[in-house]
Amino acid sequence: MNSELLQQAMREYEEKLFLKEKEASYYPEKMRELGLKNIERFIKYHPNPSRLMKLGITYAHRDLEIVAESMANNKPWAVISGLNPSGPLHLGHKTIFDELLWLQEQGAEIFIPITNDESYVVDKTKSLSDARRIGYDSVIPSIIAMGFNPKLTHIFVDSDYTDIYNVAMDISKYITLNKALKVFGFDESEDNPGSLFYRSGVQIAHILLPQYMEFGGPKPTLVPVGIDQHPYILLSRDVAERKKFIPPAELTLKFLWGLDGKGKMSASREGSAIFLTDNPNEAVKKIKSSYTGGSALATYQREHGGVAEICPIYAIQQYHFDAEETNLYTRCTSGQILCGKCKEYAAENVRKYLEKFQSVLPEAKARTGEFLLNTSIRSILE
Amino acid sequence: MNVNISLKELLSLEGLVTESPHVETIIQRTNETQPQNIKIFYGETYDEAGNTIDSMKYYLFAANLSDVLKTMGYDTDPVILVADTAACRNVSQNLQSRYMQLGAERTEFVEKVNRIYNCGLHIVKMSEYIDEPDFQSDVKKIIDLCESDPELMKMIEESIPPSKVDIEREKGFMYSFDEIATILGYDIKIGPPREDLYDKTAREIAKRLDRKQIMSIFLMPTFPVGLGWDYFFAHEDLEKYGITAYKGMSKRLQKYRILIGKTSPEYVDELIHNSFISTRLDIPNPILDIGIIVEMAKQRLKSKTDQIHLHKDFYNGKISPNDLKDYVSQGLREYVLNKLV
């Protein structure tokens, strides 16, 4: 074997192992730092916990106890999960929506704000209308296509559901500028007033909206988030207490690795995401050229195995398909399966999924009206 | 009593005994104690709620243990202590006589159980011996020993739930000293696992006073009935030690306890059928716990002390959760509630 190639393979493997260690400590450290609780006890007691919980992808919570009481006793409770429509949904978003579907099965009333105002003020789209269009043309139909129950799902586009701005005004009285600056760390020379109002007003309004009188008043509310969104929850809990609402609970999910191996799957990094609207052949191509946890040298990988923990291809199969059933982790890390073959399986899974998903999109789009929220929030005006 | 279970099997009954000394250790002690009786002890206080089904677990087990030892040829003295004086220490002055009355009622209840299930128990009230010179002399020795040894004093403090340490300190830890003095004279003590802290302290004190050291047998903790999975999920503190078996108002969960003669049979059924039970072994199973009490009661009514297979049958999947609830509900009515009316 060419020793230079071998040396390179060893270096690459060491780097991947280092990343694996970093990944392994990242979430537990964050959990401790933010005072979150592990999801294990919930899994232990819930008669039928979600697949993502059992896989450890949904891994932490705060105050889930309060939500559990409503969940178990058929009392009203809500889930809120917003979405920035700067582009179509991708497999990273699908993770959260899979969890939302499970939460809905447990009786949650689900609120999904489509935050085209955020897309605009933080420069993710050129105009409010661009993001609004993406919202209606792509994001909302994709959400509906996932199978939500219209009776328990309320979707709204911020710029069209303008009542949300009245709620944001109502809420903004409970937050000082000083606190908002501390929590979100605004850059005075870069950020605009709109982004300040969005983050500290509108976003908190989304979280607390289900507790307004029009939706039955104070009730346990759960916010499934990535760990980076924790500050919003903290601020909303603070406001909730002052408004005599129930402080929202938090459910934290791990990110899905992007195909470039450089962090979470994101629309803003080219080549990182598989969009749910991607042509299936295009998605297959993305998978074939993806970064992996394997080695360039097949012999080396057969001997040492792949590093599944940092591999986006493994993650896609674990988060969304059949990695558990096919014992993929063991086969990968023991070197029984190499990346080429693994990518073939993943590509086939993704192709099938996208074909099926996209086949129901037109019908889903036609049902948009069933899901749009139009309840007027008069209680703060009269 | 027809005893069809060995001491080893009795002490290994799944779902009932959580910890016990080795059989050889017990036999060695019984041999050393002969010709005197081997003294078995279970002590409890009570509260206003009434008599819990959960106390019966201890009465019936003490009777079974005594019968097994007798079958082996040893003389026994199984004592159930109703700690009326101790119960009064926890209530205000104007409730003292009420609590002494409740103590008498609890004693009557234990006597009734003793009679109906032919337990052969020796029922004692704390007020009957607390003022006796021998007992007071033991208490004084224990106080002197603890006051002169910060390590022992620390053990006393640690045996008390953190929320109650300050109150007990104000009362000079008399509850603990009385309890330790009480158990000093016994060979085997039966109790819930959380009494381990008391028992350890008592053993240490017994060692210093050159007395025989108590051997502890811990039975499964008690859990409330009629509550869903959400309650157990939200109350992590409950998981390890449960609630106090003999106090119906423990953790203010009196609505979720079966109180003999007070809880109506209909409500008992409701509690049982609303209870969350899991097939996971690491999760509290209040229905199985009551089921085992029912099994013991049923056996004793038939003059038997035998194996109990309920735990194995449930966790092996032979009995479904719903079938277990039906079985326990029916058995409870037939072998406990109707008998103790």
Side-chain angles (χ1 to χ4, degrees):
Chain A
M1 190 186 293
N2 182 324
S3 69
E4 202 176 308
L5 273 179
L6 183 62
Q7 289 295 321
Q8 195 187 328
M10 283 167 70
R11 271 199 307 275
E12 199 182 52
Y13 188 69
E14 288 302 316
E15 276 170 26
K16 288 180 179 179
L17 285 180
F18 173 74
L19 278 177
K20 172 188 157 181
E21 294 303 315
K22 214 170 127 184
E23 166 81 0
S25 59
Y26 174 76
Y27 290 108
E29 274 170 20
K30 277 283 176 195
M31 201 167 76
R32 274 193 298 275
E33 182 190 321
L34 304 175
L36 301 173
K37 289 185 189 167
N38 196 300
I39 199 75
E40 275 169 14
R41 270 185 66 75
F42 184 81
I43 297 172
K44 188 167 143 178
Y45 282 101
H46 192 284
N48 182 27
S50 78
R51 177 180 170 273
L52 292 171
M53 289 174 179
K54 288 189 271 189
L55 289 171
I57 293 163
T58 301
Y59 75 103
H61 74 92
R62 177 194 292 264
D63 271 5
L64 193 52
E65 293 85 356
I66 295 165
V67 175
E69 205 252 329
S70 292
M71 201 187 274
N73 298 293
N74 295 322
K75 293 181 187 169
W77 60 290
V79 168
I80 142 90
S81 184
L83 200 92
N84 179 338
S86 54
L89 298 189
H90 53 63
L91 287 179
H93 295 120
K94 181 179 174 289
T95 314
I96 291 251
F97 284 105
D98 284 346
E99 199 65 325
L100 292 187
L101 279 169
W102 181 84
L103 291 164
Q104 186 163 81
E105 281 168 22
Q106 311 311 307
E109 189 173 9
I110 299 200
F111 291 74
I112 307 173
I114 307 296
T115 63
N116 68 320
D117 44 0
E118 178 193 16
S119 308
Y120 177 61
V121 293
V122 302
D123 276 340
K124 285 195 172 175
T125 53
K126 285 182 190 154
S127 65
L128 271 171
S129 63
D130 271 357
R132 179 176 179 273
R133 186 177 40 75
I134 296 169
Y136 284 111
D137 286 353
S138 173
V139 172
I140 295 176
S142 291
I143 294 169
I144 295 169
M146 286 179 192
F148 285 94
N149 171 0
K151 287 184 184 148
L152 286 172
T153 311
H154 311 295
I155 303 175
F156 56 95
V157 176
D158 275 353
S159 60
D160 291 344
Y161 184 64
T162 50
D163 286 68
I164 200 68
Y165 297 119
N166 284 335
V167 176
M169 277 295 169
D170 180 46
I171 275 163
S172 66
K173 283 267 284 179
Y174 297 88
I175 303 167
T176 62
L177 195 55
N178 190 26
K179 185 166 251 174
L181 293 172
K182 250 189 209 163
V183 171
F184 299 112
F186 289 100
D187 182 335
E188 286 171 36
S189 58
E190 292 284 326
D191 291 316
N192 57 56
S195 70
L196 175 65
F197 180 62
Y198 175 78
R199 286 184 187 157
S200 52
V202 181
Q203 185 112 325
I204 309 304
H206 292 148
I207 296 175
L208 298 181
L209 181 68
Q211 300 201 51
Y212 274 74
M213 225 160 69
E214 286 74 4
F215 301 105
K219 63 171 75 65
T221 306
L222 180 66
V223 195
V225 288
I227 201 81
D228 54 342
Q229 286 165 305
H230 181 74
Y232 294 109
I233 315 285
L234 277 191
L235 196 57
S236 66
R237 287 173 65 85
D238 195 36
V239 175
E241 270 178 24
R242 300 181 66 186
K243 278 191 72 67
K244 308 263 184 277
F245 284 174
I246 297 171
E250 177 176 354
L251 189 65
T252 314
L253 286 86
K254 289 180 182 170
F255 301 122
L256 176 68
W257 280 90
L259 295 176
D260 56 3
K262 289 178 181 160
K264 71 170 178 174
M265 189 171 278
S266 163
S268 57
R269 283 198 324 277
E270 201 166 333
S272 155
I274 293 175
F275 295 101
L276 301 185
T277 48
D278 272 348
N279 176 304
N281 291 331
E282 186 58 35
V284 167
K285 273 190 205 163
K286 285 182 180 177
I287 287 173
K288 295 267 167 85
S289 57
S290 166
Y291 170 87
T292 70
S295 168
L297 269 184
T299 47
Y300 192 86
Q301 190 171 341
R302 278 199 192 95
E303 192 181 333
H304 294 90
V307 186
E309 291 84 351
I310 56 134
C311 178
I313 300 302
Y314 171 74
I316 285 173
Q317 307 219 69
Q318 187 201 24
Y319 280 50
H320 299 298
F321 301 109
D322 55 359
E324 288 294 300
E325 294 87 332
T326 58
N327 203 17
L328 186 59
Y329 181 83
T330 309
R331 289 195 295 143
C332 166
T333 54
S334 64
Q336 286 171 51
I337 186 171
L338 301 186
C339 296
K341 202 74 189 163
C342 187
K343 281 180 171 178
E344 274 179 31
Y345 287 136
E348 196 46 32
N349 278 332
V350 169
R351 178 206 296 278
K352 278 187 202 157
Y353 173 75
L354 290 183
E355 282 172 355
K356 194 174 169 200
F357 180 79
Q358 290 169 12
S359 73
V360 297
L361 274 178
E363 189 198 328
K365 191 172 180 184
R367 295 178 61 206
T368 299
E370 290 177 48
F371 290 83
L372 287 182
L373 179 69
N374 50 27
T375 306
S376 182
I377 309 296
R378 303 299 301 170
S379 57
I380 47 177
L381 301 174
E382 288 164 354
Chain B
M1 193 61 61
N2 184 8
V3 176
N4 298 317
I5 187 169
S6 70
L7 180 59
K8 189 173 179 184
E9 286 165 336
L10 179 75
L11 298 180
S12 321
L13 273 179
E14 285 177 311
L16 179 60
V17 180
T18 62
E19 207 182 315
S20 79
H22 285 295
V23 172
E24 295 74 26
T25 315
I26 294 179
I27 290 173
Q28 192 187 339
R29 168 67 70 89
T30 47
N31 287 333
E32 284 166 10
T33 308
Q34 298 297 312
Q36 286 180 321
N37 290 338
I38 181 120
K39 296 179 87 176
I40 300 168
F41 174 85
Y42 165 68
E44 63 179 16
T45 57
Y46 46 81
D47 60 23
E48 302 248 11
N51 304 314
T52 64
I53 171 100
D54 312 290
S55 280
M56 283 184 65
K57 176 163 61 178
Y58 296 92
Y59 312 152
L60 299 175
F61 182 81
N64 286 353
L65 177 63
S66 168
D67 287 343
V68 170
L69 288 169
K70 276 183 188 161
T71 308
M72 293 167 74
Y74 301 110
D75 292 329
T76 59
D77 179 15
V79 171
I80 304 295
L81 169 75
V82 177
D84 51 358
T85 320
C88 287
R89 287 198 194 281
N90 293 330
V91 297
S92 60
Q93 200 59 40
N94 58 348
L95 285 174
Q96 298 285 315
S97 60
R98 166 88 184 120
Y99 264 68
M100 285 309 278
Q101 173 59 30
L102 288 173
E105 286 168 20
R106 176 62 63 101
T107 307
E108 273 171 35
F109 173 66
V110 190
E111 279 163 355
K112 194 170 185 180
V113 172
N114 195 25
R115 205 169 50 245
I116 289 170
Y117 297 96
N118 192 21
C119 293
L121 300 169
H122 172 192
I123 300 140
V124 177
K125 282 194 280 186
M126 193 180 237
S127 54
E128 289 165 4
Y129 65 79
I130 194 153
D131 295 324
E132 281 178 14
D134 285 354
F135 183 77
Q136 282 306 318
S137 156
D138 273 352
V139 172
K140 188 170 181 317
K141 278 181 204 160
I142 293 167
I143 294 174
D144 290 347
L145 191 63
C146 292
E147 283 181 350
S148 63
D149 186 335
E151 204 178 303
L152 279 180
M153 207 61 208
K154 197 174 160 215
M155 285 178 84
I156 294 276
E157 288 197 19
E158 282 171 357
S159 68
I160 297 161
S163 60
K164 291 184 178 161
V165 171
D166 285 341
I167 302 167
E168 289 302 318
R169 188 179 290 113
E170 266 179 42
K171 294 178 183 171
F173 297 108
M174 283 314 293
Y175 186 101
S176 306
F177 292 135
D178 286 346
E179 160 125 12
I180 290 166
T182 296
I183 61 181
L184 270 184
Y186 288 90
D187 297 292
I188 300 173
K189 176 175 173 287
I190 302 163
R194 71 189 175 91
E195 288 186 1
D196 188 33
L197 289 168
Y198 265 127
D199 297 2
K200 268 185 196 159
T201 313
R203 274 192 287 274
E204 187 57 36
I205 288 170
K207 198 162 78 181
R208 311 268 183 107
L209 294 176
D210 201 23
R211 302 280 186 91
K212 55 185 178 184
Q213 289 181 42
I214 191 113
M215 296 185 286
S216 310
I217 296 176
F218 298 122
L219 304 188
M220 282 294 276
T222 292
F223 296 99
V225 282
L227 288 163
W229 63 268
D230 55 307
Y231 186 86
F232 291 94
F233 163 60
H235 292 83
E236 201 170 348
D237 54 321
L238 207 74
E239 200 171 88
K240 195 171 176 191
Y241 291 130
I243 50 180
T244 309
Y246 43 83
K247 284 185 171 177
M249 289 158 81
S250 174
K251 307 236 184 231
R252 296 182 189 163
L253 288 170
Q254 57 269 34
K255 253 177 78 184
Y256 302 99
R257 303 294 295 275
I258 295 172
L259 302 162
I260 309 282
K262 275 197 175 177
T263 315
S264 72
E266 294 73 27
Y267 189 57
V268 168
D269 274 353
E270 199 182 315
L271 285 175
I272 289 176
H273 286 96
N274 287 343
S275 283
F276 158 72
I277 47 173
S278 165
T279 48
R280 279 181 68 140
L281 268 164
D282 58 347
I283 283 185
N285 190 336
I287 302 305
L288 183 67
D289 193 47
I290 292 172
I292 287 173
I293 296 169
V294 170
E295 290 294 280
M296 287 196 286
K298 179 177 159 184
Q299 288 179 5
R300 292 204 69 84
L301 285 172
K302 294 178 178 173
S303 298
K304 278 199 309 186
T305 302
D306 212 334
Q307 279 283 5
I308 295 170
H309 299 291
L310 209 53
H311 183 275
K312 198 163 69 185
D313 288 349
F314 178 71
Y315 288 107
N316 284 348
K318 258 188 177 173
I319 305 177
S320 72
N322 281 338
D323 287 347
L324 178 71
K325 286 178 179 179
D326 290 342
Y327 181 78
V328 171
S329 177
Q330 205 181 333
L332 185 61
R333 210 180 265 231
E334 191 175 342
Y335 303 110
V336 180
L337 303 179
N338 290 349
K339 299 287 170 191
L340 290 170
V341 172

